[in-house]
Amino acid sequence: MKKSRFLSNIICLSSIIEVSILCYAFYWHYFCMDHAEHLHSAWLVWNGKVPYLDFFQHHNPLMWYILAPIVGLFYNDAIILYVSRIITFAAFSGLFFVLYKIFTRFMNLSVISLVLSLFIYFSISTSYFLVFEMQPDVFMLLSYFIGFYYYCEYIETKKQKSLNIAFLFFTMSFLILQKILIILFFTGVFSLYLLIKKRINLSSLLKASILPLVILSSFALYLYHHNILKIYIDFNYKLNFIMQKFHGDGNFCSSFFATKYLPFLSIFMIKYFMKNGNVYKNMIAFIVIGDYISKYITGAPYCQYFILSNIICSIIIGNYLVNNISKLKTKIILCVMVILGGVTFFLAPLNNQFRIYYNLNKLIYSNHSKEDYLISTIQYINIYGKDVSYYWYGVGNISPVAYYIYNYNEPFTLNRAIKMYKPKFIFGDIYTNQILIDSIRNGVKVENFIENLSKIYDELPVKRESRLNFIKRWSLNEFLTYDTYFISENYTPHPIYPVLIRNDLSEKLI
C-alpha cells in the first residue's frame, strides 16, 4: 500500500508538471530549424524535385516522400509548423507504445515501471523540445522498433511472417535515416550469436532478406537512373564523416544531462534489469550499449543522437525503482532525480520564440506566390518559397563544406542571389559559422578549433588553397555578409525579426 501510494504521488506530481511543460513547449518553445529543413524537402519532393539532383540533402529520403502530401495540403499556410509538431508527437507516442508492447510482452516489465520510465525520460529538458521537433531520428526509431517487435516475435514463435515484417521495417528505418546502420550492425552481431545458439535459423534469415534486397536494389537503381548514385554516397556518408573532422573534439554533445546522465545512472541498475537471463533484455542492452559507445567513435554533436539511449536507460532505471521502491535509498534516488529534473530546466529554460517564428512565417506566406523566391538563413528556413540555390540550407555549416569538398552544382552566393532574384522577403539573419559555434558549445576552445583545422587540412580529399587560407576560411565568425548599402536602399526591416521586406511592399505590410 505504501509502495503504491508513494509511486502514485510521484507520478501524479510529475504528470501535472510535465504535461504543463509539454503544452507550453508545443505552443511557444523554439528549439532548432530541423523541422523546416525536412518540411521544405518534402515540399520540393511534392513538386517533383529529386533529392540530391535538384536540391542539397545529406539524409535518406523516405520521410520526405511520406510527408510530401501533407505539406502540399497546407501549402502557403504557416499552420504547417504546428501540424509538423503534432506529427512528430504522434511518432514519439507511437514509439512509446511499441516499446510498451516490447517490454511488457517479451521482457515482463510492469506497466507501472514503464509509466515511471516515461516521466524519467521527460525529466530531461531536451526531451520536451525533441518530442515536437520534426527530425528523422524518431521516425527511424519508430520503424526500427516495430521491426524489433516482430523480430522478438519470430524468436518466440519461429513464424517466417514475423521475420519478414521485421526485416521490412528495418529496411524502412534505413531509408528514413542512414544513422540506423550502427544500430542494425549491433542487431546483426547479436543475431549471429542467436544463430550460433540455434535460436534462429539461417534459411529464415535468407528468406526474410529477399524483399529488403529488392527494395534497396530498386533504390540504388533509382539513384543510378538519375545519375546521382555517386553524389548520394558522397553527401550521405563521406560528407557526414568529414563534418565530424571539422568539429574535431567538438563532435560529441557536451551536455551532461542530454547525453550522460541517464546512461550513467543506468549502469548501477542494469545488472538488476538483466538478472533473469532474458534473451530479449540481453539483446536490447547489447544494442543500446554498442550504439552508445560507437558515438564516441563516429561522433554525435547534437542531443537528438541520444534519444534511443535515454529512452532505454529510462526504462532500465524505472524498472529498478519500481521493484525496489520499498527501500529508503530507492526513494531518495527518485526524489533526487525529481530535483535534478528541475535543475535541467534551470540550465535550459523554456522560451517563447516559436510563436514569433510562426507569425513570421504567417506574414511571409500570406503575401507569397508559388513563383516567389525566399532566402534561407541559419535558423530561419524557407518552407514554401522557391530556392535561389541548390544549396538552400545549412549555409552556416554543412552546405559550404559540401561544395568545397565536392564542387557539385552552384554555390550559394548571398548578395548575387538577392540582386538577381529580388525576393519580396529576406530572412535577414546573420550567416554565422555554425561549425565554430557548435564546436565551442561542445567544449572546444577557439585555439584548439584552429589547431584542428590545420590537422584536417592534410586529411581532406581535396586541397583547393594553402593551409593558411584554409584555416582563415573556416575560422571566420561569419561565412557570408550582406551588401548593407543594397539592402538599405531596397529593403525595409519588419518589426518581426529578422524579416526584410522589399520597399515596394513595405508600406502595405508594415
Side-chain angles (χ1 to χ4, degrees):
M1 184 65 179
K2 288 183 178 179
K3 171 183 173 180
S4 176
R5 185 180 298 119
F6 182 81
L7 280 174
S8 297
N9 290 339
I10 289 290
I11 290 173
C12 183
L13 175 63
S14 299
S15 65
I16 294 170
I17 295 171
E18 294 184 359
V19 170
S20 299
I21 294 172
L22 278 169
C23 291
Y24 183 96
F26 172 81
Y27 191 75
W28 292 103
H29 187 86
Y30 185 94
F31 184 55
C32 70
M33 43 59 65
D34 287 7
H35 64 281
E37 171 197 341
H38 298 292
L39 289 174
H40 187 62
S41 293
W43 169 245
L44 292 172
V45 166
W46 182 246
N47 281 277
K49 303 293 185 182
V50 177
Y52 325 114
L53 175 67
D54 298 317
F55 63 93
F56 171 69
Q57 258 296 351
H58 63 112
H59 301 89
N60 276 358
L62 180 59
M63 187 176 82
W64 312 322
Y65 284 88
I66 295 171
L67 290 173
I70 300 172
V71 178
L73 179 65
F74 290 95
Y75 170 66
N76 256 9
D77 194 335
I79 200 67
I80 187 63
L81 297 172
Y82 282 107
V83 171
S84 74
R85 293 195 150 197
I86 293 170
I87 293 170
T88 306
F89 184 76
F92 265 99
S93 300
L95 175 60
F96 296 142
F97 177 75
V98 172
L99 289 171
Y100 156 78
K101 297 291 287 185
I102 290 170
F103 279 90
T104 53
R105 175 176 174 180
F106 301 108
M107 305 182 202
N108 301 314
L109 266 66
S110 65
V111 174
I112 190 68
S113 65
L114 292 171
V115 171
L116 181 60
S117 302
L118 192 62
F119 291 117
I120 290 171
Y121 175 70
F122 281 107
S123 68
I124 302 174
S125 59
T126 51
S127 298
Y128 292 95
F129 314 147
L130 289 172
V131 80
F132 297 125
E133 186 64 35
M134 179 168 278
Q135 295 166 330
D137 301 68
V138 64
F139 299 93
M140 172 195 78
L141 289 173
L142 173 59
S143 182
Y144 170 78
F145 275 109
I146 293 173
F148 188 85
Y149 173 86
Y150 283 102
Y151 188 57
C152 292
E153 185 175 77
Y154 164 74
I155 295 171
E156 181 182 74
T157 65
K158 299 298 184 293
K159 291 181 179 177
Q160 182 67 45
K161 179 181 178 182
S162 297
L163 191 61
N164 294 345
I165 295 172
F167 276 36
L168 175 61
F169 277 95
F170 289 161
T171 306
M172 289 178 61
S173 70
F174 165 74
L175 292 175
I176 292 170
L177 191 60
Q178 62 272 31
K179 196 185 298 181
I180 198 66
L181 287 174
I182 295 174
I183 297 172
L184 289 175
F185 170 78
F186 288 107
T187 307
V189 171
F190 199 89
S191 298
L192 182 60
Y193 165 79
L194 294 175
L195 193 64
I196 294 170
K197 291 292 183 178
K198 302 188 185 305
R199 296 293 301 270
I200 59 177
N201 66 74
L202 183 60
S203 63
S204 295
L205 291 174
L206 293 175
K207 290 176 184 176
S209 300
I210 294 173
L211 181 58
L213 287 173
V214 170
I215 293 172
L216 294 175
S217 298
S218 300
F219 178 52
L221 286 172
Y222 175 80
L223 296 171
Y224 181 79
H225 169 74
H226 288 287
N227 198 30
I228 51 174
L229 181 59
K230 182 181 183 303
I231 202 65
Y232 162 79
I233 294 171
D234 288 341
F235 282 176
N236 283 38
Y237 302 95
K238 296 179 182 179
L239 176 62
N240 288 332
F241 278 104
I242 289 172
M243 281 300 297
Q244 305 308 319
K245 292 181 181 293
F246 271 83
H247 282 294
D249 291 336
N251 71 350
F252 194 91
C253 180
S254 63
S255 171
F256 172 78
F257 283 107
T259 65
K260 302 178 185 72
Y261 166 54
L262 293 176
F264 174 77
L265 191 58
S266 69
I267 290 172
F268 302 98
M269 304 174 185
I270 193 168
K271 183 178 179 181
Y272 182 87
F273 176 75
M274 300 174 66
K275 67 178 183 178
N276 60 0
N278 180 292
V279 66
Y280 309 107
K281 289 182 178 180
N282 293 341
M283 180 161 57
I284 195 70
F286 175 79
I287 292 167
V288 172
I289 292 170
D291 174 65
Y292 185 82
I293 292 173
S294 72
K295 296 186 190 309
Y296 285 90
I297 301 170
T298 61
Y302 308 113
C303 58
Q304 62 264 29
Y305 284 65
F306 300 89
I307 294 172
L308 171 63
S309 57
N310 282 337
I311 290 178
I312 302 303
C313 289
S314 295
I315 293 172
I316 292 171
I317 295 166
N319 176 66
Y320 176 86
L321 293 177
V322 166
N323 289 290
N324 294 275
I325 199 65
S326 58
K327 298 177 182 179
L328 178 60
K329 71 173 185 179
T330 305
K331 294 179 180 178
I332 293 172
I333 291 171
L334 188 52
C335 290
V336 170
M337 291 185 71
V338 172
I339 294 170
L340 287 176
V343 171
T344 67
F345 279 96
F346 177 78
L347 297 175
L350 293 162
N351 62 51
N352 64 351
Q353 296 301 307
F354 193 78
R355 192 64 191 174
I356 298 172
Y357 173 71
Y358 169 81
N359 288 331
L360 179 152
N361 279 270
K362 187 176 181 180
L363 167 74
I364 290 174
Y365 296 121
S366 60
N367 296 277
H368 198 266
S369 72
K370 200 168 184 178
E371 296 304 313
D372 287 336
Y373 289 89
L374 186 60
I375 293 180
S376 296
T377 54
I378 305 300
Q379 293 295 336
Y380 301 87
I381 292 189
N382 174 18
I383 297 175
Y384 287 119
K386 291 181 68 174
D387 298 313
V388 297
S389 171
Y390 171 86
Y391 294 96
W392 58 277
Y393 93 101
V395 289
N397 44 40
I398 198 162
S399 287
V401 175
Y403 181 75
Y404 183 86
I405 299 296
Y406 300 106
N407 210 27
Y408 183 78
N409 217 299
E410 85 285 357
F412 173 73
T413 50
L414 175 62
N415 292 305
R416 178 174 175 270
I418 293 173
K419 293 172 184 178
M420 178 181 296
Y421 296 107
K422 298 181 176 63
K424 293 179 182 177
F425 299 94
I426 296 172
F427 287 124
D429 202 16
I430 56 176
Y431 288 81
T432 53
N433 181 347
Q434 203 64 31
I435 304 171
L436 175 62
I437 291 172
D438 289 341
S439 297
I440 292 173
R441 185 199 66 225
N442 287 335
V444 175
K445 294 180 180 179
V446 174
E447 56 267 28
N448 292 336
F449 180 82
I450 292 173
E451 183 181 332
N452 180 63
L453 289 175
S454 179
K455 174 185 173 183
I456 67 172
Y457 178 80
D458 297 317
E459 301 174 1
L460 293 179
V462 295
K463 294 175 178 59
R464 304 191 187 280
E465 57 199 338
S466 69
R467 184 188 303 271
L468 182 60
N469 286 339
F470 174 81
I471 293 171
K472 285 181 179 179
R473 175 194 297 269
W474 298 105
S475 59
L476 293 170
N477 290 324
E478 297 176 23
F479 281 141
L480 298 165
T481 56
Y482 291 94
D483 182 334
T484 53
Y485 177 77
F486 183 85
I487 292 293
S488 64
E489 289 293 309
N490 294 277
Y491 288 86
T492 302
H494 191 275
I496 302 179
Y497 176 84
V499 176
L500 299 171
I501 303 177
R502 206 171 61 202
N503 286 343
D504 59 311
L505 299 171
S506 60
E507 288 188 10
K508 172 187 173 184
L509 300 177
I510 298 179

